[in-house]
mmCIF file of all heavy atoms in Angstrom:
data_model
loop_
_atom_site.group_PDB
_atom_site.id
_atom_site.type_symbol
_atom_site.label_atom_id
_atom_site.label_comp_id
_atom_site.label_asym_id
_atom_site.label_seq_id
_atom_site.Cartn_x
_atom_site.Cartn_y
_atom_site.Cartn_z
ATOM 1 N N THR A 311 -7.775 5.371 16.589
ATOM 2 C CA THR A 311 -6.511 5.953 16.109
ATOM 3 C C THR A 311 -6.722 6.657 14.763
ATOM 4 O O THR A 311 -7.548 6.215 13.959
ATOM 5 C CB THR A 311 -5.461 4.826 15.928
ATOM 6 O OG1 THR A 311 -5.468 4.003 17.095
ATOM 7 C CG2 THR A 311 -4.072 5.388 15.725
ATOM 8 N N GLY A 312 -5.962 7.697 14.543
ATOM 9 C CA GLY A 312 -6.025 8.403 13.264
ATOM 10 C C GLY A 312 -4.630 8.651 12.712
ATOM 11 O O GLY A 312 -3.627 8.546 13.431
ATOM 12 N N MET A 313 -4.578 8.954 11.420
ATOM 13 C CA MET A 313 -3.305 9.259 10.762
ATOM 14 C C MET A 313 -3.524 10.399 9.785
ATOM 15 O O MET A 313 -4.524 10.406 9.056
ATOM 16 C CB MET A 313 -2.801 8.012 10.018
ATOM 17 C CG MET A 313 -1.390 8.028 9.518
ATOM 18 S SD MET A 313 -1.029 8.797 7.937
ATOM 19 C CE MET A 313 -2.346 8.402 6.858
ATOM 20 N N VAL A 314 -2.629 11.363 9.801
ATOM 21 C CA VAL A 314 -2.674 12.478 8.845
ATOM 22 C C VAL A 314 -1.348 12.483 8.091
ATOM 23 O O VAL A 314 -0.280 12.529 8.706
ATOM 24 C CB VAL A 314 -2.877 13.831 9.570
ATOM 25 C CG1 VAL A 314 -2.786 14.994 8.574
ATOM 26 C CG2 VAL A 314 -4.211 13.866 10.310
ATOM 27 N N ASN A 315 -1.418 12.416 6.758
ATOM 28 C CA ASN A 315 -0.204 12.440 5.948
ATOM 29 C C ASN A 315 0.322 13.860 5.799
ATOM 30 O O ASN A 315 -0.469 14.805 5.636
ATOM 31 C CB ASN A 315 -0.520 11.901 4.544
ATOM 32 C CG ASN A 315 -0.036 10.482 4.350
ATOM 33 O OD1 ASN A 315 0.723 9.934 5.169
ATOM 34 N ND2 ASN A 315 -0.470 9.864 3.271
ATOM 35 N N LEU A 316 1.632 14.002 5.820
ATOM 36 C CA LEU A 316 2.259 15.294 5.583
ATOM 37 C C LEU A 316 2.758 15.299 4.136
ATOM 38 O O LEU A 316 3.783 14.699 3.828
ATOM 39 C CB LEU A 316 3.413 15.500 6.566
ATOM 40 C CG LEU A 316 3.004 15.435 8.044
ATOM 41 C CD1 LEU A 316 4.206 15.494 8.960
ATOM 42 C CD2 LEU A 316 2.027 16.566 8.370
ATOM 43 N N LEU A 317 1.976 15.927 3.264
ATOM 44 C CA LEU A 317 2.253 15.894 1.820
ATOM 45 C C LEU A 317 2.821 17.236 1.373
ATOM 46 O O LEU A 317 2.125 18.261 1.431
ATOM 47 C CB LEU A 317 0.962 15.596 1.048
ATOM 48 C CG LEU A 317 0.224 14.318 1.459
ATOM 49 C CD1 LEU A 317 -1.150 14.235 0.791
ATOM 50 C CD2 LEU A 317 1.045 13.086 1.109
ATOM 51 N N GLY A 318 4.080 17.231 0.972
ATOM 52 C CA GLY A 318 4.694 18.457 0.464
ATOM 53 C C GLY A 318 4.833 19.554 1.494
ATOM 54 O O GLY A 318 4.841 20.731 1.135
ATOM 55 N N VAL A 319 4.911 19.172 2.769
ATOM 56 C CA VAL A 319 5.103 20.185 3.824
ATOM 57 C C VAL A 319 6.285 19.780 4.698
ATOM 58 O O VAL A 319 6.545 18.595 4.896
ATOM 59 C CB VAL A 319 3.844 20.362 4.709
ATOM 60 C CG1 VAL A 319 2.737 21.045 3.950
ATOM 61 C CG2 VAL A 319 3.357 19.020 5.250
ATOM 62 N N GLU A 320 7.001 20.786 5.208
ATOM 63 C CA GLU A 320 8.149 20.531 6.081
ATOM 64 C C GLU A 320 7.695 19.888 7.379
ATOM 65 O O GLU A 320 6.610 20.156 7.868
ATOM 66 C CB GLU A 320 8.853 21.857 6.435
ATOM 67 C CG GLU A 320 9.835 22.376 5.425
ATOM 68 C CD GLU A 320 11.067 21.502 5.171
ATOM 69 O OE1 GLU A 320 11.174 20.385 5.723
ATOM 70 O OE2 GLU A 320 11.906 21.935 4.384
ATOM 71 N N MET A 321 8.532 19.076 7.916
ATOM 72 C CA MET A 321 8.263 18.425 9.188
ATOM 73 C C MET A 321 8.535 19.398 10.319
ATOM 74 O O MET A 321 9.536 20.082 10.302
ATOM 75 C CB MET A 321 9.260 17.288 9.358
ATOM 76 C CG MET A 321 9.125 16.241 8.336
ATOM 77 S SD MET A 321 7.768 15.298 8.802
ATOM 78 C CE MET A 321 8.137 15.226 10.520
ATOM 79 N N ASP A 322 7.658 19.414 11.286
ATOM 80 C CA ASP A 322 7.866 20.329 12.400
ATOM 81 C C ASP A 322 6.968 19.893 13.551
ATOM 82 O O ASP A 322 5.767 19.727 13.367
ATOM 83 C CB ASP A 322 7.491 21.746 11.926
ATOM 84 C CG ASP A 322 7.783 22.799 12.962
ATOM 85 O OD1 ASP A 322 7.947 22.428 14.144
ATOM 86 O OD2 ASP A 322 7.834 23.974 12.579
ATOM 87 N N ASN A 323 7.550 19.754 14.750
ATOM 88 C CA ASN A 323 6.745 19.318 15.899
ATOM 89 C C ASN A 323 5.655 20.317 16.269
ATOM 90 O O ASN A 323 4.712 19.962 16.972
ATOM 91 C CB ASN A 323 7.640 19.075 17.118
ATOM 92 C CG ASN A 323 8.162 17.650 17.116
ATOM 93 O OD1 ASN A 323 7.410 16.723 17.383
ATOM 94 N ND2 ASN A 323 9.411 17.469 16.773
ATOM 95 N N SER A 324 5.779 21.556 15.781
ATOM 96 C CA SER A 324 4.771 22.557 16.142
ATOM 97 C C SER A 324 3.409 22.240 15.521
ATOM 98 O O SER A 324 2.404 22.819 15.903
ATOM 99 C CB SER A 324 5.223 23.949 15.715
ATOM 100 O OG SER A 324 5.195 24.035 14.306
ATOM 101 N N VAL A 325 3.374 21.309 14.546
ATOM 102 C CA VAL A 325 2.068 20.979 13.956
ATOM 103 C C VAL A 325 1.270 20.032 14.854
ATOM 104 O O VAL A 325 0.093 19.796 14.621
ATOM 105 C CB VAL A 325 2.180 20.339 12.546
ATOM 106 C CG1 VAL A 325 2.724 21.329 11.549
ATOM 107 C CG2 VAL A 325 2.996 19.067 12.562
ATOM 108 N N LEU A 326 1.909 19.497 15.885
ATOM 109 C CA LEU A 326 1.181 18.560 16.751
ATOM 110 C C LEU A 326 0.167 19.321 17.593
ATOM 111 O O LEU A 326 0.475 20.366 18.172
ATOM 112 C CB LEU A 326 2.156 17.788 17.644
ATOM 113 C CG LEU A 326 3.152 16.910 16.879
ATOM 114 C CD1 LEU A 326 4.043 16.138 17.840
ATOM 115 C CD2 LEU A 326 2.439 15.952 15.947
ATOM 116 N N VAL A 327 -1.035 18.783 17.652
ATOM 117 C CA VAL A 327 -2.131 19.481 18.318
ATOM 118 C C VAL A 327 -2.131 19.178 19.814
ATOM 119 O O VAL A 327 -2.551 19.994 20.622
ATOM 120 C CB VAL A 327 -3.473 19.076 17.665
ATOM 121 C CG1 VAL A 327 -4.653 19.591 18.441
ATOM 122 C CG2 VAL A 327 -3.523 19.585 16.226
ATOM 123 N N ASN A 328 -1.672 17.993 20.200
ATOM 124 C CA ASN A 328 -1.550 17.696 21.634
ATOM 125 C C ASN A 328 -0.383 16.734 21.874
ATOM 126 O O ASN A 328 0.193 16.190 20.929
ATOM 127 C CB ASN A 328 -2.870 17.155 22.204
ATOM 128 C CG ASN A 328 -3.230 15.797 21.614
ATOM 129 O OD1 ASN A 328 -2.382 14.908 21.541
ATOM 130 N ND2 ASN A 328 -4.469 15.647 21.177
ATOM 131 N N SER A 329 -0.073 16.528 23.143
ATOM 132 C CA SER A 329 1.151 15.784 23.477
ATOM 133 C C SER A 329 1.015 14.280 23.259
ATOM 134 O O SER A 329 1.990 13.550 23.389
ATOM 135 C CB SER A 329 1.551 16.068 24.923
ATOM 136 O OG SER A 329 0.478 15.707 25.769
#
Side-chain angles (χ1 to χ4, degrees):
T311 313
M313 192 276 321
V314 175
N315 257 349
L316 302 174
L317 305 171
V319 289
E320 277 296 5
M321 297 282 317
D322 185 342
N323 272 287
S324 70
V325 293
L326 298 182
V327 171
N328 66 47
S329 58

